[in-house]
Coordinates of all heavy atoms in Angstrom, one line a residue:
M261 N 8.9 -11.8 -7.8 CA 8.0 -10.9 -8.3 C 7.8 -9.7 -7.4 O 7.6 -9.9 -6.2 CB 6.6 -11.6 -8.5 CG 5.6 -10.8 -9.2 SD 4.0 -11.6 -9.5 CE 4.6 -13.1 -10.2
T262 N 8.0 -8.5 -7.9 CA 7.9 -7.3 -7.0 C 6.6 -7.2 -6.3 O 5.5 -7.6 -6.9 CB 8.0 -6.0 -7.9 OG1 9.3 -6.1 -8.6 CG2 8.0 -4.8 -7.1
A263 N 6.6 -6.8 -5.1 CA 5.4 -6.6 -4.3 C 5.3 -5.2 -3.7 O 6.3 -4.5 -3.6 CB 5.4 -7.6 -3.1
Y264 N 4.1 -4.8 -3.5 CA 3.9 -3.4 -2.9 C 3.0 -3.5 -1.7 O 2.1 -4.3 -1.6 CB 3.1 -2.6 -4.0 CG 3.9 -2.3 -5.2 CD1 3.8 -3.3 -6.3 CD2 4.7 -1.2 -5.4 CE1 4.6 -3.1 -7.4 CE2 5.4 -1.0 -6.5 CZ 5.3 -1.9 -7.6 OH 6.1 -1.7 -8.7
L265 N 3.4 -2.7 -0.7 CA 2.6 -2.5 0.5 C 1.9 -1.1 0.2 O 2.6 -0.1 0.0 CB 3.4 -2.4 1.8 CG 3.9 -3.7 2.3 CD1 4.7 -3.5 3.6 CD2 2.8 -4.7 2.6
I266 N 0.6 -1.1 0.3 CA -0.2 0.1 0.1 C -1.0 0.4 1.4 O -1.7 -0.4 1.9 CB -1.2 -0.1 -1.1 CG1 -0.4 -0.5 -2.3 CG2 -2.0 1.2 -1.3 CD1 -1.3 -1.0 -3.5
V267 N -0.7 1.6 1.9 CA -1.3 2.0 3.2 C -2.1 3.3 3.0 O -1.7 4.2 2.4 CB -0.2 2.4 4.2 CG1 -0.8 2.8 5.6 CG2 0.8 1.2 4.4
T268 N -3.3 3.2 3.5 CA -4.1 4.4 3.6 C -4.3 4.7 5.1 O -4.5 3.8 5.8 CB -5.5 4.3 2.9 OG1 -6.2 3.2 3.4 CG2 -5.4 4.1 1.4
A269 N -4.2 6.0 5.4 CA -4.2 6.3 6.9 C -4.9 7.6 7.1 O -4.8 8.6 6.4 CB -2.8 6.4 7.4
Q270 N -5.6 7.6 8.2 CA -6.2 8.8 8.7 C -5.4 9.1 10.0 O -5.5 8.3 11.0 CB -7.7 8.6 9.1 CG -8.4 9.9 9.5 CD -9.9 9.6 9.8 OE1 -10.3 8.6 10.1 NE2 -10.6 10.7 9.6
L271 N -4.7 10.2 10.0 CA -3.9 10.6 11.1 C -4.7 11.5 12.1 O -5.2 12.5 11.7 CB -2.6 11.4 10.6 CG -1.8 10.6 9.6 CD1 -0.6 11.5 9.2 CD2 -1.4 9.2 10.0
H272 N -4.6 11.1 13.4 CA -5.3 11.9 14.4 C -4.4 12.9 15.1 O -4.8 13.8 15.7 CB -6.0 11.0 15.4 CG -6.9 10.0 14.8 ND1 -8.0 10.3 14.1 CD2 -6.8 8.6 14.7 CE1 -8.6 9.2 13.7 NE2 -7.9 8.2 14.0
D273 N -3.1 12.5 15.0 CA -2.0 13.4 15.6 C -0.8 13.3 14.7 O 0.1 12.6 14.9 CB -1.7 12.9 17.0 CG -0.7 13.9 17.7 OD1 0.0 14.6 17.1 OD2 -0.8 13.9 19.0
R274 N -0.9 14.2 13.6 CA 0.1 14.2 12.6 C 1.5 14.4 13.2 O 2.5 13.8 12.8 CB -0.2 15.2 11.5 CG 0.7 15.1 10.3 CD 0.2 16.0 9.2 NE 0.9 15.9 8.0 CZ 0.9 14.8 7.2 NH1 0.0 13.9 7.4 NH2 1.6 14.8 6.1
K275 N 1.6 15.4 14.1 CA 2.9 15.7 14.7 C 3.6 14.5 15.4 O 4.7 14.2 15.1 CB 2.7 16.9 15.7 CG 4.0 17.4 16.2 CD 3.8 18.6 17.2 CE 5.1 19.1 17.8 NZ 4.8 20.2 18.7
R276 N 2.8 13.8 16.2 CA 3.4 12.6 16.9 C 3.7 11.5 15.9 O 4.7 10.8 16.0 CB 2.4 12.1 17.9 CG 2.5 12.9 19.2 CD 1.5 12.3 20.3 NE 1.7 10.9 20.5 CZ 0.8 10.1 21.0 NH1 -0.4 10.6 21.3 NH2 1.0 8.8 21.2
F277 N 2.8 11.4 14.9 CA 3.1 10.4 13.8 C 4.4 10.6 13.1 O 5.2 9.7 12.9 CB 1.9 10.4 12.8 CG 2.0 9.3 11.8 CD1 1.4 8.1 12.0 CD2 2.6 9.5 10.6 CE1 1.4 7.1 11.0 CE2 2.6 8.6 9.6 CZ 2.0 7.3 9.8
L278 N 4.6 11.9 12.7 CA 5.8 12.2 12.0 C 7.1 12.2 12.8 O 8.2 12.0 12.3 CB 5.6 13.6 11.3 CG 4.6 13.6 10.2 CD1 4.4 15.0 9.6 CD2 5.0 12.7 9.0
A279 N 6.9 12.4 14.1 CA 8.0 12.5 15.0 C 8.5 11.1 15.5 O 9.7 10.8 15.7 CB 7.7 13.3 16.2
G280 N 7.5 10.1 15.6 CA 7.8 8.8 16.1 C 7.8 7.7 15.1 O 8.8 7.1 14.8
Y281 N 6.6 7.4 14.7 CA 6.4 6.3 13.8 C 7.1 6.4 12.4 O 7.8 5.5 11.9 CB 4.9 6.0 13.6 CG 4.7 5.0 12.5 CD1 4.9 3.6 12.7 CD2 4.3 5.3 11.2 CE1 4.7 2.7 11.7 CE2 4.2 4.4 10.2 CZ 4.4 3.1 10.5 OH 4.2 2.1 9.5
A282 N 6.9 7.6 11.8 CA 7.4 7.7 10.4 C 8.9 7.5 10.2 O 9.3 6.7 9.4 CB 7.0 9.1 9.8
P283 N 9.7 8.1 11.1 CA 11.2 7.8 10.9 C 11.6 6.4 11.2 O 12.4 5.8 10.6 CB 11.9 8.9 11.8 CG 10.8 9.4 12.7 CD 9.5 9.2 12.0
A284 N 10.9 5.8 12.2 CA 11.2 4.4 12.6 C 10.8 3.5 11.4 O 11.6 2.6 11.1 CB 10.4 4.0 13.9
A285 N 9.7 3.7 10.8 CA 9.2 2.9 9.7 C 10.1 3.1 8.5 O 10.5 2.1 7.8 CB 7.8 3.2 9.4
A286 N 10.5 4.3 8.2 CA 11.4 4.6 7.1 C 12.7 3.9 7.2 O 13.2 3.3 6.2 CB 11.6 6.1 6.9
A287 N 13.3 3.9 8.4 CA 14.6 3.3 8.6 C 14.5 1.8 8.4 O 15.3 1.1 7.8 CB 15.1 3.6 10.0
L288 N 13.4 1.2 8.9 CA 13.2 -0.3 8.8 C 12.9 -0.6 7.3 O 13.3 -1.7 6.8 CB 12.1 -0.7 9.7 CG 12.5 -0.7 11.2 CD1 11.3 -0.9 12.1 CD2 13.6 -1.7 11.5
T289 N 12.1 0.2 6.6 CA 11.8 -0.1 5.2 C 13.1 -0.2 4.4 O 13.3 -1.2 3.7 CB 10.9 1.0 4.7 OG1 9.6 1.0 5.3 CG2 10.7 0.8 3.2
E290 N 14.0 0.7 4.6 CA 15.3 0.7 3.9 C 16.1 -0.5 4.3 O 16.6 -1.2 3.5 CB 16.0 2.0 4.2 CG 17.3 2.0 3.4 CD 18.1 3.4 3.6 OE1 17.4 4.4 3.8 OE2 19.3 3.3 3.6
R291 N 16.2 -0.8 5.6 CA 17.0 -1.9 6.1 C 16.5 -3.2 5.6 O 17.3 -4.1 5.4 CB 16.9 -1.9 7.7 CG 18.0 -2.8 8.2 CD 18.2 -2.6 9.7 NE 17.4 -3.5 10.4 CZ 17.1 -3.5 11.7 NH1 17.5 -2.5 12.4 NH2 16.3 -4.4 12.3
F292 N 15.2 -3.4 5.4 CA 14.6 -4.7 5.0 C 14.5 -4.8 3.4 O 13.9 -5.7 2.9 CB 13.2 -4.9 5.6 CG 13.3 -5.5 7.0 CD1 13.5 -4.7 8.1 CD2 13.2 -6.9 7.2 CE1 13.6 -5.2 9.4 CE2 13.3 -7.4 8.5 CZ 13.5 -6.6 9.6
G293 N 15.0 -3.8 2.7 CA 15.1 -3.8 1.3 C 13.9 -3.2 0.5 O 13.8 -3.4 -0.7
G294 N 13.1 -2.4 1.2 CA 12.0 -1.8 0.6 C 12.4 -0.4 0.2 O 13.4 0.2 0.6
E295 N 11.6 0.2 -0.6 CA 11.7 1.7 -1.0 C 10.4 2.3 -1.2 O 9.4 1.6 -1.6 CB 12.6 1.8 -2.3 CG 11.9 1.3 -3.5 CD 12.7 1.5 -4.8 OE1 13.3 2.5 -4.9 OE2 12.7 0.5 -5.6
Y296 N 10.3 3.6 -0.8 CA 9.0 4.3 -0.9 C 8.8 4.7 -2.4 O 9.8 5.2 -3.0 CB 9.0 5.5 0.0 CG 8.8 5.2 1.4 CD1 9.9 5.4 2.3 CD2 7.7 4.6 1.9 CE1 9.7 5.1 3.7 CE2 7.5 4.2 3.2 CZ 8.6 4.5 4.1 OH 8.4 4.2 5.4
V297 N 7.6 4.5 -2.9 CA 7.3 4.9 -4.2 C 6.4 6.2 -4.1 O 6.5 7.1 -4.9 CB 6.4 3.8 -4.9 CG1 5.9 4.3 -6.3 CG2 7.3 2.5 -5.1
L298 N 5.6 6.3 -3.0 CA 4.7 7.4 -2.8 C 4.5 7.6 -1.3 O 4.2 6.6 -0.6 CB 3.4 7.1 -3.5 CG 2.3 8.1 -3.3 CD1 2.6 9.4 -4.0 CD2 1.0 7.5 -3.7
R299 N 4.6 8.8 -0.9 CA 4.2 9.2 0.5 C 3.5 10.5 0.3 O 4.2 11.5 0.0 CB 5.4 9.3 1.4 CG 6.0 8.0 1.8 CD 7.1 8.1 2.8 NE 8.3 8.7 2.3 CZ 9.4 8.8 3.0 NH1 9.4 8.5 4.3 NH2 10.5 9.3 2.5
A300 N 2.2 10.6 0.5 CA 1.5 11.8 0.3 C 0.3 12.0 1.2 O -0.4 11.0 1.5 CB 1.0 11.8 -1.2
A301 N 0.1 13.2 1.6 CA -1.1 13.5 2.4 C -2.1 14.1 1.4 O -1.8 14.4 0.2 CB -0.8 14.6 3.4
G302 N -3.4 14.2 1.8 CA -4.4 14.8 1.0 C -5.2 13.9 0.1 O -5.9 14.3 -0.8
A303 N -5.1 12.6 0.4 CA -5.8 11.6 -0.5 C -7.3 11.8 -0.2 O -7.7 12.0 1.0 CB -5.4 10.2 -0.2
E304 N -8.1 11.6 -1.2 CA -9.6 11.7 -1.0 C -10.2 10.4 -1.4 O -9.9 9.9 -2.5 CB -10.1 12.8 -2.0 CG -11.6 13.0 -1.9 CD -12.1 14.1 -2.9 OE1 -11.3 14.8 -3.5 OE2 -13.3 14.2 -3.0
V305 N -11.0 9.8 -0.6 CA -11.6 8.5 -0.8 C -12.8 8.8 -1.7 O -13.7 9.6 -1.3 CB -12.0 7.8 0.5 CG1 -12.8 6.6 0.1 CG2 -10.8 7.5 1.3
L306 N -12.9 8.3 -2.9 CA -14.0 8.5 -3.8 C -15.1 7.4 -3.6 O -16.3 7.6 -4.0 CB -13.5 8.5 -5.2 CG -12.5 9.6 -5.5 CD1 -12.1 9.6 -7.0 CD2 -13.1 11.0 -5.2
E307 N -14.7 6.2 -3.1 CA -15.7 5.2 -2.9 C -15.1 4.2 -1.8 O -13.9 4.0 -1.7 CB -15.9 4.4 -4.2 CG -16.9 3.3 -4.1 CD -17.1 2.6 -5.4 OE1 -16.8 3.1 -6.5 OE2 -17.7 1.4 -5.4
G308 N -16.0 3.7 -1.0 CA -15.6 2.8 0.0 C -15.5 3.5 1.4 O -15.7 4.7 1.5
E309 N -15.1 2.7 2.3 CA -15.0 3.2 3.7 C -13.6 3.0 4.2 O -13.3 2.5 5.3 CB -15.9 2.4 4.6 CG -17.4 2.6 4.2 CD -18.3 1.9 5.2 OE1 -18.0 1.7 6.3 OE2 -19.5 1.6 4.7
H310 N -12.6 3.5 3.5 CA -11.2 3.5 3.9 C -10.9 4.7 4.7 O -11.4 5.8 4.4 CB -10.3 3.4 2.6 CG -10.7 2.4 1.7 ND1 -10.5 1.0 1.9 CD2 -11.3 2.4 0.5 CE1 -10.9 0.3 0.9 NE2 -11.4 1.1 0.0
P311 N -9.9 4.6 5.6 CA -9.4 5.8 6.2 C -8.7 6.7 5.1 O -7.9 6.1 4.3 CB -8.5 5.4 7.3 CG -8.1 4.0 6.9 CD -9.2 3.4 6.1
G312 N -9.1 7.9 5.0 CA -8.5 8.7 4.0 C -7.4 9.6 4.5 O -7.0 9.4 5.7
G313 N -6.9 10.5 3.8 CA -5.9 11.5 4.3 C -4.5 11.2 3.7 O -4.0 12.1 3.0
S314 N -3.9 10.1 4.1 CA -2.5 9.9 3.7 C -2.4 8.5 3.0 O -3.1 7.6 3.4 CB -1.6 9.9 4.9 OG -1.6 11.2 5.5
V315 N -1.5 8.5 2.0 CA -1.3 7.2 1.3 C 0.2 7.0 1.3 O 1.0 7.9 1.0 CB -1.8 7.2 -0.1 CG1 -1.5 6.0 -0.9 CG2 -3.4 7.4 -0.1
V316 N 0.7 5.8 1.5 CA 2.1 5.4 1.4 C 2.1 4.1 0.6 O 1.4 3.2 0.9 CB 2.7 5.2 2.8 CG1 4.1 4.6 2.7 CG2 2.7 6.4 3.6
V317 N 3.0 4.1 -0.4 CA 3.2 2.9 -1.2 C 4.7 2.6 -1.2 O 5.5 3.5 -1.4 CB 2.8 3.1 -2.7 CG1 3.1 1.9 -3.5 CG2 1.3 3.5 -2.8
S318 N 5.0 1.4 -0.8 CA 6.4 0.9 -0.8 C 6.6 -0.3 -1.7 O 5.6 -1.1 -1.8 CB 6.9 0.6 0.7 OG 6.1 -0.3 1.3
R319 N 7.7 -0.3 -2.3 CA 8.0 -1.4 -3.3 C 9.0 -2.4 -2.6 O 10.0 -1.9 -2.0 CB 8.6 -0.9 -4.6 CG 8.9 -1.9 -5.6 CD 9.4 -1.4 -6.9 NE 10.0 -0.1 -6.9 CZ 9.6 1.0 -7.6 NH1 8.6 0.9 -8.4 NH2 10.3 2.1 -7.5
W320 N 8.8 -3.6 -2.8 CA 9.7 -4.7 -2.2 C 10.1 -5.7 -3.3 O 9.4 -5.8 -4.3 CB 8.9 -5.4 -1.1 CG 8.5 -4.5 0.0 CD1 7.4 -3.7 0.0 CD2 9.2 -4.2 1.1 NE1 7.4 -2.9 1.1 CE2 8.5 -3.2 1.8 CE3 10.4 -4.6 1.7 CZ2 8.9 -2.6 3.0 CZ3 10.8 -4.1 2.9 CH2 10.1 -3.1 3.5
P321 N 11.3 -6.3 -3.1 CA 11.7 -7.2 -4.1 C 10.7 -8.3 -4.4 O 10.6 -8.8 -5.5 CB 13.0 -7.8 -3.5 CG 13.5 -6.8 -2.5 CD 12.2 -6.1 -2.0
D322 N 10.0 -8.8 -3.3 CA 9.0 -9.8 -3.5 C 8.1 -9.8 -2.2 O 8.4 -9.1 -1.3 CB 9.7 -11.2 -3.7 CG 10.7 -11.6 -2.7 OD1 10.5 -11.2 -1.5 OD2 11.7 -12.2 -3.1
R323 N 7.1 -10.6 -2.3 CA 6.1 -10.7 -1.2 C 6.9 -11.2 0.1 O 6.6 -10.7 1.2 CB 5.0 -11.7 -1.5 CG 4.0 -11.9 -0.4 CD 3.0 -12.9 -0.8 NE 2.1 -12.5 -1.8 CZ 0.9 -11.9 -1.6 NH1 0.4 -11.7 -0.4 NH2 0.2 -11.5 -2.6
A324 N 7.8 -12.1 0.0 CA 8.5 -12.6 1.2 C 9.3 -11.5 1.9 O 9.3 -11.4 3.1 CB 9.4 -13.8 0.8
A325 N 9.9 -10.6 1.1 CA 10.6 -9.5 1.7 C 9.7 -8.5 2.4 O 10.0 -8.1 3.5 CB 11.4 -8.8 0.6
A326 N 8.6 -8.2 1.8 CA 7.6 -7.3 2.4 C 7.0 -7.9 3.7 O 6.9 -7.2 4.7 CB 6.4 -7.0 1.4
L327 N 6.7 -9.2 3.7 CA 6.2 -9.9 4.9 C 7.3 -10.1 6.0 O 6.9 -10.0 7.2 CB 5.6 -11.2 4.5 CG 4.3 -11.1 3.7 CD1 3.8 -12.5 3.2 CD2 3.2 -10.4 4.4
A328 N 8.5 -10.2 5.6 CA 9.6 -10.3 6.6 C 9.7 -9.0 7.3 O 9.9 -8.9 8.5 CB 10.9 -10.6 5.9
F329 N 9.6 -7.9 6.6 CA 9.5 -6.5 7.2 C 8.3 -6.4 8.1 O 8.4 -6.1 9.3 CB 9.5 -5.5 6.1 CG 8.9 -4.2 6.5 CD1 9.7 -3.3 7.3 CD2 7.6 -3.8 6.2 CE1 9.2 -2.0 7.6 CE2 7.1 -2.6 6.6 CZ 7.9 -1.7 7.3
W330 N 7.1 -6.7 7.6 CA 5.9 -6.5 8.3 C 5.8 -7.3 9.6 O 5.3 -6.9 10.6 CB 4.7 -6.9 7.4 CG 3.4 -6.7 8.1 CD1 2.6 -7.6 8.6 CD2 2.7 -5.4 8.2 NE1 1.5 -7.1 9.2 CE2 1.5 -5.7 8.9 CE3 3.0 -4.1 7.9 CZ2 0.6 -4.7 9.3 CZ3 2.1 -3.1 8.2 CH2 0.9 -3.4 8.9
N331 N 6.3 -8.5 9.6 CA 6.3 -9.4 10.7 C 7.5 -9.4 11.6 O 7.5 -10.1 12.6 CB 6.0 -10.9 10.2 CG 4.7 -11.0 9.6 OD1 3.7 -10.6 10.1 ND2 4.7 -11.7 8.4
S332 N 8.5 -8.6 11.3 CA 9.7 -8.5 12.1 C 9.4 -7.9 13.5 O 8.6 -7.1 13.6 CB 10.8 -7.7 11.4 OG 10.4 -6.3 11.4
P333 N 10.1 -8.4 14.5 CA 10.0 -7.8 15.8 C 10.2 -6.3 15.8 O 9.6 -5.6 16.6 CB 11.0 -8.6 16.7 CG 11.3 -9.8 15.9 CD 11.1 -9.5 14.5
E334 N 11.2 -5.9 15.0 CA 11.5 -4.4 15.0 C 10.3 -3.6 14.5 O 10.0 -2.6 15.0 CB 12.7 -4.2 14.1 CG 14.0 -4.8 14.5 CD 14.2 -6.2 13.9 OE1 13.2 -6.9 13.4 OE2 15.3 -6.7 13.9
Y335 N 9.6 -4.1 13.4 CA 8.5 -3.4 12.9 C 7.3 -3.5 13.8 O 6.5 -2.5 13.9 CB 8.2 -3.8 11.4 CG 7.1 -2.9 10.9 CD1 7.3 -1.5 10.7 CD2 5.8 -3.3 10.6 CE1 6.3 -0.7 10.3 CE2 4.8 -2.5 10.2 CZ 5.1 -1.2 10.0 OH 4.1 -0.3 9.6
V336 N 7.1 -4.6 14.4 CA 6.0 -4.7 15.4 C 6.1 -3.6 16.5 O 5.2 -3.0 16.8 CB 6.0 -6.1 16.0 CG1 5.0 -6.2 17.2 CG2 5.6 -7.2 14.9
R337 N 7.4 -3.4 16.9 CA 7.6 -2.4 17.9 C 7.3 -1.0 17.3 O 6.7 -0.1 18.0 CB 9.0 -2.4 18.5 CG 9.2 -3.6 19.5 CD 10.5 -3.5 20.2 NE 11.7 -3.6 19.3 CZ 12.2 -4.8 18.9 NH1 11.7 -5.9 19.3 NH2 13.3 -4.8 18.1
A338 N 7.8 -0.8 16.1 CA 7.6 0.5 15.5 C 6.1 0.8 15.2 O 5.6 1.9 15.4 CB 8.3 0.6 14.1
R339 N 5.4 -0.2 14.8 CA 3.9 -0.1 14.6 C 3.2 0.3 15.8 O 2.2 1.1 15.8 CB 3.4 -1.4 14.1 CG 2.3 -1.3 13.1 CD 1.9 -2.5 12.3 NE 1.9 -3.8 13.1 CZ 2.4 -4.9 12.8 NH1 3.1 -5.0 11.6 NH2 2.3 -6.0 13.5
A340 N 3.7 -0.1 17.0 CA 3.0 0.3 18.2 C 3.1 1.9 18.4 O 2.3 2.4 19.1 CB 3.7 -0.4 19.4
L341 N 4.1 2.5 17.8 CA 4.2 4.0 17.9 C 3.0 4.7 17.3 O 2.8 5.9 17.6 CB 5.5 4.5 17.3 CG 6.8 3.9 17.9 CD1 8.0 4.3 17.0 CD2 6.9 4.5 19.3
R342 N 2.3 4.1 16.4 CA 1.1 4.7 15.7 C -0.2 4.4 16.4 O -1.2 5.0 16.0 CB 1.1 4.5 14.2 CG 0.7 3.1 13.9 CD 0.6 2.9 12.4 NE -0.1 1.7 12.1 CZ 0.2 0.8 11.2 NH1 1.1 1.1 10.3 NH2 -0.5 -0.3 11.0
E343 N -0.2 3.5 17.4 CA -1.4 3.2 18.1 C -2.1 4.4 18.7 O -1.4 5.2 19.4 CB -1.2 2.1 19.1 CG -0.9 0.8 18.5 CD -0.6 -0.3 19.6 OE1 -0.9 -0.1 20.8 OE2 -0.1 -1.4 19.2
G344 N -3.4 4.6 18.4 CA -4.1 5.7 19.0 C -3.9 7.0 18.2 O -4.6 8.0 18.5
I345 N -3.0 7.1 17.3 CA -2.8 8.3 16.6 C -3.1 8.2 15.1 O -3.0 9.2 14.3 CB -1.4 8.9 16.8 CG1 -0.3 8.0 16.3 CG2 -1.2 9.3 18.3 CD1 1.1 8.6 16.4
A346 N -3.3 7.0 14.6 CA -3.6 6.8 13.2 C -4.5 5.5 13.0 O -4.2 4.5 13.6 CB -2.3 6.6 12.4
D347 N -5.4 5.6 12.1 CA -6.2 4.5 11.6 C -5.7 4.1 10.3 O -5.8 5.0 9.3 CB -7.7 4.8 11.6 CG -8.3 5.1 13.0 OD1 -7.9 4.4 13.9 OD2 -9.2 5.9 13.1
C348 N -5.2 2.9 10.1 CA -4.6 2.5 8.8 C -5.3 1.3 8.2 O -5.8 0.4 9.0 CB -3.1 2.2 9.1 SG -2.2 3.6 9.7
Q349 N -5.2 1.2 6.9 CA -5.5 0.0 6.2 C -4.3 -0.3 5.4 O -3.7 0.6 4.7 CB -6.7 0.2 5.3 CG -7.0 -1.0 4.4 CD -8.2 -0.8 3.4 OE1 -8.4 0.3 2.9 NE2 -8.9 -1.9 3.2
V350 N -3.8 -1.6 5.4 CA -2.6 -2.0 4.7 C -3.0 -3.2 3.9 O -3.5 -4.1 4.4 CB -1.5 -2.3 5.7 CG1 -0.2 -2.7 5.0 CG2 -1.3 -1.2 6.7
V351 N -2.6 -3.1 2.6 CA -2.7 -4.3 1.7 C -1.4 -4.6 1.1 O -0.5 -3.7 0.9 CB -3.8 -4.0 0.6 CG1 -5.2 -3.8 1.3 CG2 -3.5 -2.9 -0.3
I352 N -1.2 -5.8 0.7 CA 0.0 -6.2 -0.1 C -0.5 -6.8 -1.4 O -1.5 -7.5 -1.4 CB 0.8 -7.3 0.7 CG1 2.1 -7.6 0.0 CG2 0.0 -8.5 1.0 CD1 3.1 -8.4 0.8
V353 N 0.2 -6.4 -2.4 CA -0.2 -6.9 -3.8 C 1.1 -7.1 -4.6 O 2.1 -6.4 -4.4 CB -1.1 -5.9 -4.5 CG1 -0.4 -4.6 -4.7 CG2 -1.6 -6.5 -5.8
E354 N 1.1 -8.2 -5.4 CA 2.3 -8.4 -6.2 C 2.0 -7.8 -7.6 O 0.9 -7.7 -8.1 CB 2.5 -9.9 -6.4 CG 3.0 -10.6 -5.1 CD 3.2 -12.1 -5.3 OE1 2.3 -12.7 -5.8 OE2 4.3 -12.5 -4.8
E355 N 3.1 -7.4 -8.2 CA 3.1 -6.8 -9.5 C 2.7 -7.8 -10.5 O 3.2 -8.9 -10.5 CB 4.4 -6.2 -9.9 CG 4.4 -5.4 -11.2 CD 5.8 -4.7 -11.4 OE1 6.1 -3.8 -10.5 OE2 6.5 -5.0 -12.3
P356 N 1.7 -7.6 -11.3 CA 1.2 -8.6 -12.2 C 2.2 -8.8 -13.4 O 2.9 -7.9 -13.8 CB -0.1 -8.1 -12.8 CG 0.0 -6.6 -12.6 CD 0.9 -6.4 -11.4
T357 N 2.2 -10.0 -13.9 CA 3.0 -10.3 -15.1 C 2.1 -10.3 -16.2 O 1.1 -11.0 -16.2 CB 3.7 -11.7 -15.0 OG1 2.8 -12.7 -14.7 CG2 4.8 -11.6 -13.9
L358 N 2.3 -9.5 -17.2 CA 1.4 -9.3 -18.3 C 1.9 -10.1 -19.5 O 3.0 -10.3 -19.8 CB 1.2 -7.9 -18.6 CG 0.6 -7.0 -17.5 CD1 0.6 -5.6 -17.9 CD2 -0.7 -7.5 -17.1

């Protein structure tokens, strides 16, 4: 069943984020079988206490593939590149069968 990682982020240093973390994450997303559905700045939070600003949605073949990416040593190292420059909320959800 297709799974999605949905990230909302408030970037404190967009230049460093785009120079370091973003290309590293993109390469790993592709390598682990994911694809970006949406990458956009300018999100506005209408309700709740989420970090606003940027939203990224990636699609994965299934939950196991998304979690293999998320928990991989390579992505753990890449995630460290955003420490101190972005506040993120990440959720995983499977596509419902209707």
Side-chain angles (χ1 to χ4, degrees):
M261 185 177 311
T262 302
Y264 296 87
L265 286 178
I266 303 167
V267 181
T268 56
Q270 183 178 29
L271 305 183
H272 306 296
D273 188 334
R274 186 171 187 77
K275 185 177 177 181
R276 279 183 53 206
F277 184 90
L278 293 176
Y281 170 77
L288 290 169
T289 296
E290 183 177 326
R291 191 167 97 193
F292 278 84
E295 65 178 319
Y296 289 113
V297 176
L298 172 72
R299 290 189 284 184
E304 179 182 354
V305 176
L306 300 178
E307 183 176 342
E309 296 183 25
H310 308 287
S314 296
V315 175
V316 175
V317 178
S318 56
R319 179 177 27 236
W320 299 85
D322 53 34
R323 179 183 290 265
L327 291 174
F329 158 78
W330 182 260
N331 294 314
S332 70
E334 299 92 340
Y335 185 66
V336 169
R337 286 190 297 275
R339 212 167 43 227
L341 297 172
R342 71 174 194 220
E343 288 180 11
I345 62 172
D347 293 324
C348 299
Q349 177 183 32
V350 182
V351 298
I352 186 170
V353 63
E354 290 179 315
E355 188 171 295
T357 56
L358 303 175

